[in-house]
Amino acid sequence: FFCLRHPWPPERVRTLQMVSEVWSCLEAFRKPSLPRVDKGCPLHLSLAKLGHDEEDVTEVLCNPFIKQEHLSKHVDDLPVRLRENVLGQLAAFDDDPAVETSLEVLSVFAYGTLRGDFGPEGDKWGILKKSNATWRKAFVQGFQLYQDPRLSYPFAVKTGRAMDIIVGTVISWPSADVARENIANCNQVEGFKPSEPEVGVYRRSVVSVLPMEPGPVTKGLIYHQSWPAGMLEAAMVFPEGDWLKRI
């Protein structure tokens, strides 16, 4: 009631508006930025010359730990630990996928290009069609969905909060052997190396997968990334957790 009876003078209102605008500008300035990854930059060129696939190189160089000053260097001139990390991530894409014969969780929860409903014929990579896999709409809790604006596909980040969900499909195969063989193919798509699980672009965890329609809760594998909390502000977030609803 005070404001209605005693409105602020126009000068004070304008001052508050100016302060608000300045604060908004400062917030935008403080927001982290991601360096542009150009195929013509020295680091990209030097890695491609080693025989690595250009698209894989781009994905690895979009790692949030890669800074602008790194992109202007030859791979041999990177700090030792960073060079090992970059080459290790690329090796996870290049190596022949190893079949995990002792793997017990034989379903995959997919939320991006591996989703069963990604396109009319299934996932982008043709894994489901070639292996006679089946899929169901489902969701998981405790993860949030993001997308690096420099790339055309999403990534999951583990939060541990039940309110955070990701929608996707749970993929299953007709037999344990077929499942293990095709999970190895999924590992290669995601750049995950079971023998060195902390090296690749993605990590892998076992999650409880909840069906969208009535049905049992199952266990599945989910691929996710680890980003510094502050850098996530530079990524696009999907609050509803469904990447296919991005348009």
Side-chain angles (χ1 to χ4, degrees), residues 55-231:
E55 297 304 320
D56 292 343
V57 172
T58 297
E59 181 169 0
V60 168
L61 294 188
C62 284
N63 184 308
F65 297 99
I66 297 290
K67 307 301 181 185
Q68 189 66 53
E69 59 265 28
H70 299 141
L71 296 172
S72 63
K73 298 177 181 291
H74 187 282
V75 61
D76 292 340
D77 298 325
L78 291 177
V80 174
R81 190 169 181 178
L82 181 60
R83 181 172 70 247
E84 292 175 349
N85 186 32
V86 167
L87 293 176
Q89 290 188 354
L90 285 169
F93 286 115
D94 292 341
D95 292 349
D96 291 334
V99 176
E100 301 165 84
T101 56
S102 61
L103 189 63
E104 295 183 358
V105 177
L106 301 177
S107 295
V108 170
F109 175 78
Y111 51 81
T113 60
L114 279 171
R115 281 179 64 154
D117 56 353
F118 173 79
E121 297 189 352
D123 66 291
K124 174 182 177 179
W125 312 95
I127 293 176
L128 278 70
K129 185 177 181 179
K130 294 175 184 176
S131 60
N132 294 318
T134 57
W135 59 269
R136 293 181 294 120
K137 286 291 291 293
F139 68 96
V140 298
Q141 296 176 298
F143 290 82
Q144 197 157 30
L145 191 64
Y146 293 89
Q147 182 174 332
D148 186 325
R150 300 167 296 179
L151 298 172
S152 60
Y153 38 83
F155 63 92
V157 170
K158 189 174 184 178
T159 67
R161 299 189 298 259
M163 70 180 75
D164 294 331
I165 68 167
I166 294 182
V167 176
T169 61
V170 58
I171 304 166
S172 303
W173 284 272
S175 72
D177 288 342
V178 173
R180 293 187 179 103
E181 179 181 346
N182 283 279
I183 288 172
N185 293 331
C186 292
N187 290 341
Q188 188 176 37
V189 166
E190 303 291 8
F192 174 78
K193 197 171 183 179
S195 61
E196 298 178 90
E198 301 298 317
V199 169
V201 172
Y202 284 84
R203 307 293 181 258
R204 194 181 72 184
S205 297
V206 177
V207 290
S208 294
V209 183
L210 295 81
M212 300 292 281
E213 302 292 337
V217 175
T218 58
K219 294 294 184 182
L221 301 172
I222 185 173
Y223 298 93
H224 56 96
Q225 293 189 11
S226 177
W227 276 49
M231 291 302 296

Side-chain angles (χ1 to χ4, degrees), residues 1-9:
F1 292 108
F2 176 82
C3 291
L4 292 176
R5 292 181 181 180
H6 305 280
W8 285 348

